[in-house]
Amino acid sequence: MRQIKYFEAVNEAQYQSLEGDPSVLLMGLGVPGPTGIFGTTSGLVDKFGDNRVLDMPSSEQGMTGVALGMTIAGYRPVMIHMRVDFATLAMDQMVNQVAKWHFMYGGKMRAPMVFRMIIGRGWGQGPQHSQSLQAWFSHIPGFKVIMPTTAYDAKGMLISAIKDDAPVVVFEHRWLYGITGEVPEAPYEVELGKAAVMREGKDITIAATSYMALEALKAADDLATLGIQAEVIDIRSLVPLDTETIFRSVKKTGALIVADTGTTDFGVSAEIVSKVVERDCSILKKSPKRIGLPFCPSPTSPALAEDFFPRSVDISYAAADILGFERSRLPPEAETGGRWHDTPDPSFTGPY
Amino acid sequence: MRQIKYFEAVNEAQYQSLEGDPSVLLMGLGVPGPTGIFGTTSGLVDKFGDNRVLDMPSSEQGMTGVALGMTIAGYRPVMIHMRVDFATLAMDQMVNQVAKWHFMYGGKMRAPMVFRMIIGRGWGQGPQHSQSLQAWFSHIPGFKVIMPTTAYDAKGMLISAIKDDAPVVVFEHRWLYGITGEVPEAPYEVELGKAAVMREGKDITIAATSYMALEALKAADDLATLGIQAEVIDIRSLVPLDTETIFRSVKKTGALIVADTGTTDFGVSAEIVSKVVERDCSILKKSPKRIGLPFCPSPTSPALAEDFFPRSVDISYAAADILGFERSRLPPEAETGGRWHDTPDPSFTGPY
Amino acid sequence: MPQIENLSSPVTNLSADDRLAMHFSMLRVRRVEEGIAARYSEQEMRCPTHFCVGQEAVPVGISAHLTPYDYVFSGHRSHGHYLAKGGDLKAKLCELYGKEAGCARGRGGSQHLIDLEAGFVASAPILAGTLPIAVGAVYGSSKTNPERISVVYFGDGATEEGAFHEAMNFAAVKNLPVVFVCENNLYSVHSDFSVRQPPGRSIAKLGPAHGIKSQTADGNDIVTVWNLGQEAVLRARSGDGPTLLEFMTYRWLEHCGPNDDAALKYRTKEEISAWQSKCPIVRSDVALRRDGLLTNDLLKDFERKISEEIETAFEYAKSMPFPDPADLMTFTLPEKA
Amino acid sequence: MPQIENLSSPVTNLSADDRLAMHFSMLRVRRVEEGIAARYSEQEMRCPTHFCVGQEAVPVGISAHLTPYDYVFSGHRSHGHYLAKGGDLKAKLCELYGKEAGCARGRGGSQHLIDLEAGFVASAPILAGTLPIAVGAVYGSSKTNPERISVVYFGDGATEEGAFHEAMNFAAVKNLPVVFVCENNLYSVHSDFSVRQPPGRSIAKLGPAHGIKSQTADGNDIVTVWNLGQEAVLRARSGDGPTLLEFMTYRWLEHCGPNDDAALKYRTKEEISAWQSKCPIVRSDVALRRDGLLTNDLLKDFERKISEEIETAFEYAKSMPFPDPADLMTFTLPEKA
Ligand SMILES: Cc1ncc(C[n+]2csc(CCOP(=O)(O)OP(=O)(O)O)c2C)c(N)n1
Ligand SMILES: Cc1ncc(C[n+]2csc(CCOP(=O)(O)OP(=O)(O)O)c2C)c(N)n1
Ligand SMILES: [Mg+2]
Ligand SMILES: [Mg+2]
């Protein structure tokens, strides 16, 4: 099948959505601009015009309200934030209005909106430009929250999100944009709310979000060299959360690692651990572990960022600790070519 | 010892802080006004003047920045939001600036601020006026987050918070304001970061936040009629979280219920469950349960709010389910005098 | 009996019928508020309720220029805006009683009134929250329906929120048919204007900064409101962009709830009674009688009609069923349309 | 060689020494930026960096009126503001290199410069984020130190954030000694003014709405900047309240990073070179020579001093150690003071 990059898949999803439904439009700072939100919106303004692919003032709060207002006139806006950190300015509109819009008017209103939130890591983005706030939105009833990992899902889930009448918050990790996957040319939908088993295994379950799912696959490779078969689950959707798939896996393996791009404490992996143990804590033969950002703001210096953003080794070390073998038995971490791990792992080329 | 109400304890903490330290000031919409934020600021403007007890424009975002700016000039502002929902407008300043202020300038700056966030329930506050967003702040490194339950802690923890050089977010439940406790007259501090065992027991641990701790005590009473000894832990502080106290209790009881005032999903109880099982999941003899708000916005109609806000019966039912006895064996819920449970439980008078 | 300080401004192209209809509408808004107030202590309307007694002229004078097709948005103090735009009374009262037949099926209460058929699109209590929504709605609709306009009501306090400026800026960028209507009643809850806005501030000064035509005027004079409303609505309909109108008015009752609040002393008794003497309904009454349009009989007729409607509506609302508790989660996420 | 379109405006009470000092300061800011740009591709300064080449006159002309005691705040494009206020060059370069000796101990990078001794209090990239902070700082300090003022720099894009208005409103309510300095370089990243702000908008129109004295002027003419800066700073120091200054200027390089970006085509080559022909440093150079104040020798002397300082600073920064990874969590919560 055709292989394209994640950013191209996102672009195509929007292209086809704009083409297929005149009520769809994109908006955000720089959306029609020359760098096209990391290429994800490049060319769209030329095809669909600046009435449907629109730039906006840097008024995140107000423009979220404007986008919500447009739904009243029948539009389905996709609002794009270059960094989720900027969406903190729009929290009132998102949380008090958008998320509750359908409920608080007794079902008479709908907010068919999509928020594309870009998250990332590395290269000195620093404290105000590299948060990963999926836990916030997942905590607010009224949103769907998704984190596509593969190019295939990036396209299919975004098309589904745009068609969905609920407001859907999509988290896209910048480091996924350059990664390839098999993506059909025709439009297609991927159902929201289902996790995907990326790799089967019987010894330990690694459930992960977004870029961390690729780190998990790499960890699974490393574990396989020791004969350990890790099952890797791409969580894909936080709300609705596919507890069933994760639970079934843990029931089989008896061991669980949850890896997320955000801060661990009070983060999404806590919910996943809780959902599992609440249902039946006896299926866990070993204590579970969570991998995520440590409890400090994101440092800029590469020397500090190095230990701040977890990598596959952190996952395989956690597996070693859970399964009770020496970390030193794991293969050594590959050279990156550079001194730091603050650019995308060059071995993650895809296709995934 | 002297007994006063929770709101009086909050008032006294601020009075004594204003008196003891000229750099302390209070600000917020209506803070010096005639109703004094449910009485918690009444009279303070008369004593300390409107330069230290100040009203402000309804510019939550900007005024949070103003308050942060005042710390540069040596002040220790206490910002008060009548409802945490209004703080959503200030998320950028709180999360991007205040929480990271110390870290992102390499320790050169400090943000000794307190945010008093009022939460509540009942009486038709509805979707935009009854959220309980402690999970959000707890997820952001840089804040301390506390939820005092008793009048004693309301005073002592607020005094500690005001003296703390970290930004501290205090959640106060409106339904606690009228409840009495023993409160010394002299100023005193209660260390932040410690849970409190409110009632000892050996059969099940109920860890709860804020008003839910009182519901837990009532549930413990009901369970006691069946000879079940519940240990009730008032969590008090979410960041830092006193995992030790909770873990020790669960190790003893083997059973855990976490009850919180907020939405359960992706909420603070998930973190507490996870901290316990991550440390040693084998101590749980039964699957734990979480009690909190169901995953929908807060409805206004009393007929819907009735089942939305959990009460002690929900906790004791959960205990019945965990411990494996019939719910029907529990004593029936007491009459409230009214049709609905949307006003404070009249049996919760204190002293606690 | 309070003194009438100001009579109505000169009547221009306003017909006698329209003047009477507006009088009726103001009276109806007032009587509904009084009806709610009278029953509020029964504690069956269990939600925070912001009364608009004293402020009836603004919504009535503005709504006179609107069709059900036009969009109206409001905030927490929305009762008058809703009724004047033609919002259904029974559905509103059911909403206050938390009933399934409420305009928001009981989910929203007093602060979330809605009547899509009347073009009363949404109200919500977060200050300035509906301003950008009103702008966005008409930005969307103006692409295909240039004749539709959007009106959004808000208080003086709401203008302190940055979102107010963000909404005005975007309305100006796109030159949208929006009328921003500020009811400046001098207070935000109990806080005086002076602790919130700079000396000499008129809200109407904030519009021109964004290139928006703006005016401040007596909001207790129905004819003044009607005149300015006409101009602003015409400007919007003819594609000449947004307007900001500031109407000076006064809230008679407490910020939230049905009672007098003179005891709180954040405003003087003198101030309250001075403003009560500028009652928009009394002033309209006097002017209509002066012009020979209103008689005691006609007024009695108005009152009777209104009171019958209100009684019936309350009986209806009280009799209707509550939402089914089993439906608690129902509208969290929408079903497929 | 670009044409010089505008010469400097008439020199008022500005001394020859001050003019030369400002020329030196602009040159220094420019050369430091060039020094960073020249080394940026080594990929050792691993953080997003917003260059201010072309915009040097504003910070230099404003800082001339400030003492280290005054507060200065900035946003993402802060390099010039930092250096002109007296921020330490070595500490800045260490910060860009992520070193422990950085002004923010490497935690912040280019977007979080700070030098408390110089009174450069804080910079941070969230648009308009530091505006209310600047207001609050001087609100606090003015209670005891009425002579201290606060200056905050921001771009045209930042004025679209509601927080800009919230900050201005409060500064006006309290009549605070704040100078709001907008560097209007016509773009927000690659977005043209017209998609963001209404036609005919001058940022300087936004101040008077809040009762704030405002002016717009040529931001590439150091003397103009100095003159307006003097007036605004004097107003602040004498208790006459805030000022909003809008300076028209232009960013020569790409939004973020050290390169030319004509290839992106969001602005024309003609526009870029027209603005380059208004280079603030060349204009100052011409005017100083015209007035017999600058000679080739003196300039050579300036350049030599600057280049020595820069070379030493880069060597220093490169040689200094990184933060200890064990200190990752250190500043999350403060130790007891
Ligand atoms: C963002 C936000 N902050 C605070 C409140 C609390 N609040 C409710 S009504 C109100 C007063 C608003 O005053 P104004 O806008 O003048 O309207 P009025 O009540 O006078 O009609 C306030 C502060 C709120 N609803 N939303
Ligand atoms: C709240 C917020 N939204 C978006 C951004 C992304 N951003 C960084 S710089 C910038 C351009 C700002 O333009 P302007 O204020 O004119 O400053 P300039 O870069 O032109 O100096 C934008 C949009 C941000 N930093 N903060
Ligand atoms: Mg008001
Ligand atoms: Mg700019």
Side-chain angles (χ1 to χ4, degrees), chain C residues 267-322:
Chain C
R267 47 187 194 176
T268 62
K269 284 211 174 94
E270 293 67 40
E271 183 181 289
I272 299 173
S273 61
W275 274 97
Q276 286 178 333
S277 76
K278 296 184 208 160
C279 170
I281 298 176
V282 174
R283 284 166 68 186
S284 165
D285 185 296
V286 170
L288 287 170
R289 287 176 197 269
R290 175 197 64 198
D291 298 344
L293 296 171
L294 188 68
T295 60
N296 280 349
D297 280 355
L298 186 55
L299 187 62
K300 222 177 264 164
D301 193 48
F302 280 8
E303 295 278 19
R304 208 204 49 247
K305 257 197 207 139
I306 290 170
S307 122
E308 277 173 17
E309 185 199 4
I310 294 175
E311 290 305 318
T312 316
F314 272 106
E315 267 167 44
Y316 176 82
K318 290 189 173 197
S319 74
M320 293 302 284
F322 283 110

Side-chain angles (χ1 to χ4, degrees), chain D residues 134-285:
Chain D
V135 170
V138 84
Y139 174 49
S141 102
S142 67
K143 291 167 187 262
T144 45
N145 305 301
E147 71 286 4
R148 174 185 276 153
I149 74 161
S150 193
V151 172
V152 57
Y153 297 99
F154 49 95
D156 47 297
T159 68
E160 295 148 20
E161 299 288 0
F164 166 61
H165 290 279
E166 296 182 355
M168 286 207 296
N169 180 61
F170 191 71
V173 169
K174 300 291 180 188
N175 199 40
L176 297 173
V178 187
V179 186
F180 296 96
V181 183
C182 180
E183 295 176 343
N184 185 344
N185 61 10
L186 313 182
Y187 294 91
S188 172
V189 193
H190 310 134
S191 301
D192 193 71
F193 209 75
S194 65
V195 300
R196 305 180 282 116
Q197 304 204 20
R201 159 71 55 83
S202 148
I203 306 290
K205 283 191 192 165
L206 298 173
H210 299 279
I212 293 181
K213 303 230 168 41
S214 307
Q215 214 162 330
T216 185
D218 181 351
N220 280 11
D221 176 27
I222 184 69
V223 177
T224 302
V225 176
W226 191 91
N227 283 338
L228 292 193
Q230 186 181 48
E231 199 183 315
V233 168
L234 221 83
R235 177 175 302 129
R237 286 207 206 285
S238 45
D240 292 336
T243 305
L244 167 64
L245 299 177
E246 175 190 28
F247 290 112
M248 303 309 296
T249 184
Y250 202 75
R251 152 173 69 72
W252 290 14
L253 304 178
E254 59 190 333
H255 168 68
C256 181
N259 304 307
D260 167 282
D261 70 354
L264 291 181
K265 299 213 169 109
Y266 65 96
R267 47 187 193 175
T268 62
K269 285 213 173 97
E270 292 68 39
E271 182 181 289
I272 298 173
S273 61
W275 274 98
Q276 285 179 336
S277 76
K278 296 183 208 162
C279 171
I281 298 177
V282 174
R283 284 165 69 186
S284 165
D285 185 297

